[in-house]
Amino acid sequence: MKRIFAHIGFSSATALFLLNRLDISALPYICTALAVLLAASMCVKETREAVTVPLCIGSALFSCLVYATVFYSAVAPAVSLAGQEGVLSFYITDLPEFSDGKYVYTARSREILINGAPQSVKLIVKSAAQLNAEAYTVINAKASFYSFGSTSAEAFGKWGNGIYTGAVISDAVITDTRVFSPLYFVLLLRNDIIETLVNSIRLDMGAFSAGLVTGDKYYLPYALKNSFVLAGASHILAVSGLHLSVITGAICFILKKLGAGQRITAAAVISASLFYMALAGFSHSVVRAGIMVICVFGALIFKRRADTLNSLGIAVFIICLNPFAVTDAGAVLSVLSVLSLVLLYPYLCSKLGFVSEKLSTVKRAALKPFASALKALIHSVMISVSVIVFTLPACVLFFDRLNFTGLISNVFVIPLGSAATVLSFVCYISCKLGILSGLFCTLCCYLNMLICKTVSFAASLRLLSAPVSTELFYAVAAALVLCAVGMIAYKKKSLGITLGVSVCFIAVFLAINSLWQYNSANVLITRSGASAAAYKGATVVSRVRTKSDYNEIRDFIDLHGDKIDLLLCGENNELEKALYDEFGALRVVTCDNSSPFGDSVITDNYKAELSESFTVSFVKGGDFSYVLYEIDSKTLVSGDNIKSRADVCACGGEITDEYGKIRLSDGSVLYCFNKNYLTAGRF
């Protein structure tokens, strides 16, 4: 049987992907069902001799057993620490971050002084004060443990990184004890690369170079990171096959020029890949790419021919030894991207081969450069189409959005990003050697700026993306039905026509949806009473009081715009300041004289028209603010004093609208206002 590891790897990943979305109580039933199916497939001669069916079922069963082993031996004991307090002895294993007013560290415990507690676990440590300790130095502190959730989905990728619990610490004491690890020296190099690039390349472009080289996005502004997501180009900031191929390609080029043999080159590439995996923090995407590189070049050492799909299967299987890795968006998107280049891209190349043949017949020397450029452009578009087709389901699942913007952005971002990765490495080396560092840093800065400007423009093209909705579901279902009709007919002409009609149908739907979204006002009211509204490019945010408000409103801004036009603050609040720092605000209005915003308007009453038929009123009342949105005939009002004028009224922990009265405590509500109707959804 061919490609045995591809069957094993993808069967394991599929089983774990489904298992991570079910309750742990379903695990015994799933294992029993798979065991019965495996026994049945072995009893039937046809399936037993074909091998494929029992192999795939057996792989799925093995993954379920791995899931059960890891959950009950590692996850459950760590999660059980939630709510308990004790003394924690730990050491830092990664670079620190700063979030929600606290310093955040990835660490590993040496000892937890709580009865029945696991003693060596990877965890997130939060501290109000900065820990001035080097990595792998033992620290003792009082700790209060908390959980990220009872399922991997609730943990938002933490379980996928092997982190099952967190602790808030106080009274930290840094000891003289050091834990030896070779990764300490790798971490020092990683930190040196980041600090050198950030300090040497001006503006935020040094942070962008640091992200390209190491995958660390700590210094990168949130708005810029969000632009890459909206543009469908976030893969450029996640160290993966693109970055590793650039590095290995450069090594191969240099060694070839030096006359090195095939085996020496392969050994050098494998060594460099292992080191780069460590430098990038062993993220799932770079591990996948590294394993594939090791398989391909390892085959060269033993004079064997490597199969790309088989190598990908091996990588997927090894990653799936961590049964929660499939909940990591980067890992899933990375695997699907490579799968698209193995399966769909060659097919598109074969179907569009006539284009290359036509271009190859160009005789005139003056047109040859254009012919080469056009070939490269066509292949770039085919790569983008292939990747988008395969990653769309994952994008909808992880980001609740259908996004075709990458069709445009990746044509430019992929080649420019590859060049920027190499140039960023050159910048670091030149800075360390003190040779032409100013020249290389300037070139890198302008190249990075070009990439970021391109991505920002692509992110502004809302026409090519749409949030997941019932209407979108029906549109995609209709397109799939059309494709199915073409496949059933099984005629080349009918299949081509139905595919073309389906693509046009989705394109028209996206255009109509974008126009409808632009002419409708979307208003979010959170369960604690915070609100945000977006209408014709204008965005208003008010009364952010909790971390949950902050997260929901930030996601709302991501979907409906990349800035805040008006920020209404009732009192001095660090979360409102955090939103201001991330997105900026054209105007800030507050009733608090001690406001942290230097350019804010301080008033008890405020009214402004942001765009046609969109008026916002601000009225101080007691210890908080009231907000009024007026969109055509529909009005959202907070405050009893103007309740009688409102189509929707949010006050006293309740919302009253044309559907009746609901409680905010049951969940946040998203409204969509139009001239003729109002829709609402609870989430």
Side-chain angles (χ1 to χ4, degrees):
M1 133 181 218
K2 294 183 178 180
R3 294 173 169 169
I4 182 172
F5 289 108
H7 286 83
I8 293 173
F10 289 110
S11 297
S12 300
T14 302
L16 290 174
F17 189 81
L18 296 174
L19 197 57
N20 273 277
R21 276 149 184 79
L22 298 174
D23 189 84
I24 189 66
S25 59
L27 184 60
Y29 303 102
I30 295 173
C31 290
T32 302
L34 287 173
V36 171
L37 288 174
L38 178 61
S41 66
M42 294 299 292
C43 293
V44 179
K45 181 180 179 180
E46 290 78 6
T47 56
R48 183 176 66 251
E49 291 180 349
V51 180
T52 303
V53 174
L55 180 66
C56 291
I57 297 174
S59 301
L61 178 59
F62 174 78
S63 296
C64 290
L65 296 176
V66 170
Y67 183 96
T69 302
V70 174
F71 184 87
Y72 289 112
S73 65
V75 178
V79 171
S80 67
L81 290 172
Q84 300 189 58
E85 297 182 353
V87 176
L88 170 66
S89 178
F90 67 96
Y91 53 92
I92 300 168
T93 60
D94 206 344
L95 299 179
E97 299 180 6
F98 187 79
S99 176
D100 301 337
K102 287 184 172 62
Y103 293 91
V104 182
Y105 303 88
T106 301
R108 179 166 289 278
S109 66
R110 291 193 76 195
E111 186 178 21
I112 302 175
L113 297 181
I114 296 176
N115 290 334
Q119 296 304 304
S120 180
V121 296
K122 189 177 179 181
L123 73 163
I124 294 293
V125 173
K126 294 185 178 181
S127 173
Q130 185 174 5
L131 301 177
N132 296 314
E134 289 190 0
Y136 294 93
T137 297
V138 177
I139 303 170
N140 298 323
K142 294 180 180 178
S144 175
F145 291 89
Y146 64 92
S147 164
F148 303 110
S150 58
T151 65
S152 57
E154 294 175 358
F156 293 104
K158 291 288 193 304
W159 288 15
N161 292 322
I163 302 173
Y164 312 124
T165 187
V168 178
I169 65 168
S170 60
D171 301 331
V173 177
I174 301 171
T175 70
D176 295 328
T177 306
R178 295 284 297 273
V179 176
F180 175 77
S181 172
L183 294 178
Y184 168 74
F185 303 101
V186 177
L187 189 62
L188 287 181
L189 176 60
R190 185 183 181 195
N191 185 58
D192 187 61
I193 292 173
I194 294 169
E195 295 296 332
T196 300
L197 293 176
V198 169
N199 295 326
S200 301
I201 304 175
R202 58 193 179 92
L203 304 176
D204 294 321
M205 299 302 101
F208 179 70
S209 282
L212 286 177
V213 172
T214 67
D216 187 279
K217 298 178 279 292
Y218 176 70
Y219 292 103
L220 206 60
Y222 178 83
L224 184 56
K225 288 186 286 187
N226 186 51
S227 293
F228 276 86
V229 174
L230 294 176
S234 57
H235 58 86
I236 201 72
L237 293 172
V239 176
S240 60
L242 173 64
H243 306 74
L244 201 57
S245 63
V246 170
I247 303 303
T248 56
I251 293 173
C252 289
F253 176 79
I254 293 172
L255 292 179
K256 184 178 180 181
K257 291 296 182 181
L258 294 176
Q262 189 179 71
R263 290 188 173 182
I264 294 177
T265 300
V269 168
I270 291 173
S271 301
S273 298
L274 289 170
F275 179 78
Y276 194 51
M277 288 162 66
L279 185 66
F282 290 106
S283 66
H284 295 124
S285 55
V286 77
V287 168
R288 188 272 310 156
I291 294 172
M292 290 189 67
V293 168
I294 292 171
C295 290
V296 171
F297 283 88
L300 292 178
I301 293 177
F302 296 101
K303 296 186 179 298
R304 295 289 187 271
R305 183 179 178 182
D307 180 83
T308 305
L309 198 57
N310 234 9
S311 300
L312 180 60
I314 295 173
V316 170
F317 176 74
I318 293 175
I319 291 173
C320 284
L321 292 178
N322 173 358
F324 310 111
V326 293
T327 62
D328 180 74
V332 175
L333 293 175
S334 177
V335 170
L336 290 177
S337 297
V338 176
L339 198 59
S340 71
L341 299 180
V342 175
L343 300 179
L344 184 56
Y345 174 63
Y347 175 79
L348 293 179
C349 288
S350 66
K351 293 300 180 183
L352 296 177
F354 71 92
V355 177
S356 298
E357 293 174 4
K358 292 289 183 182
L359 293 173
S360 300
T361 59
V362 177
K363 301 294 184 182
R364 295 175 61 182
L367 293 179
K368 282 187 178 180
F370 298 100
S372 300
L374 189 55
K375 280 183 181 180
L377 178 62
I378 291 172
H379 283 280
S380 295
V381 171
M382 288 192 296
I383 289 173
S384 295
V385 170
S386 302
V387 171
I388 285 176
V389 168
F390 269 65
T391 57
L392 266 182
C395 289
V396 170
L397 181 65
F398 287 110
F399 307 119
D400 294 327
R401 195 170 188 86
L402 190 65
N403 194 345
F404 292 97
T405 316
L407 285 171
I408 296 175
S409 63
N410 286 317
V411 171
F412 304 98
V413 170
I414 289 177
L416 291 176
S418 301
T421 301
V422 174
L423 192 53
S424 296
F425 269 110
V426 173
C427 280
Y428 173 71
I429 295 171
S430 66
C431 288
K432 288 294 153 182
L433 297 177
I435 302 174
L436 298 176
S437 59
L439 173 63
F440 288 122
C441 288
T442 301
L443 291 175
C444 192
C445 179
Y446 283 112
L447 179 58
N448 291 350
M449 288 177 66
L450 177 60
I451 295 172
C452 293
K453 291 286 185 183
T454 302
V455 167
S456 297
F457 171 75
S460 67
L461 300 176
R462 306 286 180 177
L463 186 67
L464 294 175
S465 64
V468 175
S469 62
T470 303
E471 293 80 9
L472 177 62
F473 173 79
Y474 286 129
V476 173
L480 292 175
V481 168
L482 286 174
C483 292
V485 170
M487 294 179 69
I488 292 171
Y490 204 70
K491 292 181 179 179
K492 187 175 182 180
K493 185 176 180 180
S494 63
L495 181 59
I497 292 174
T498 52
L499 284 173
V501 171
S502 299
V503 170
C504 292
F505 179 76
I506 293 294
V508 171
F509 170 80
L510 288 174
I512 295 174
N513 180 76
S514 298
L515 184 62
W516 179 79
Q517 289 283 346
Y518 181 76
N519 287 291
S520 299
N522 294 279
V523 178
L524 167 70
I525 307 175
T526 70
R527 65 182 64 202
S528 61
S531 60
Y535 179 64
K536 290 191 174 181
T539 306
V540 179
V541 174
S542 76
R543 203 183 174 212
V544 182
R545 292 293 177 270
T546 68
K547 180 61 177 176
S548 176
D549 291 344
Y550 172 82
N551 290 329
E552 290 181 26
I553 287 176
R554 190 169 70 170
D555 292 342
F556 179 89
I557 297 171
D558 289 346
L559 287 174
H560 300 286
D562 54 4
K563 60 181 176 59
I564 300 174
D565 292 87
L566 181 60
L567 179 61
L568 302 174
C569 308
E571 59 187 37
N572 190 345
N573 187 273
E574 65 178 17
L575 294 176
E576 291 167 342
K577 184 64 167 60
L579 282 174
Y580 178 84
D581 292 339
E582 289 182 4
F583 297 99
L586 299 181
R587 276 175 284 179
V588 179
V589 179
T590 179
C591 60
D592 187 0
N593 291 326
S594 61
S595 170
F597 307 98
D599 56 350
S600 62
V601 176
I602 302 175
T603 180
D604 291 346
N605 296 278
Y606 181 82
K607 185 173 183 178
E609 186 173 325
L610 293 178
S611 60
E612 181 185 358
S613 303
F614 187 5
T615 303
V616 179
S617 296
F618 174 90
V619 182
K620 181 179 180 180
D623 296 327
F624 56 92
S625 304
Y626 298 111
V627 160
L628 166 67
Y629 300 103
E630 293 178 346
I631 298 100
D632 297 320
S633 62
K634 301 296 181 184
T635 306
L636 165 69
V637 180
S638 296
D640 287 318
N641 56 326
I642 39 180
K643 181 174 180 179
S644 59
R645 295 173 47 199
D647 293 298
V648 175
C649 175
C651 60
E654 292 183 335
I655 298 179
T656 304
D657 56 28
E658 63 186 54
Y659 298 104
K661 184 176 290 188
I662 59 175
R663 294 182 303 175
L664 276 173
S665 59
D666 292 335
S668 302
V669 180
L670 182 64
Y671 284 98
C672 184
F673 294 90
N674 201 281
K675 289 184 178 180
N676 302 316
Y677 58 88
L678 172 150
T679 61
R682 172 85 75 178
F683 67 96

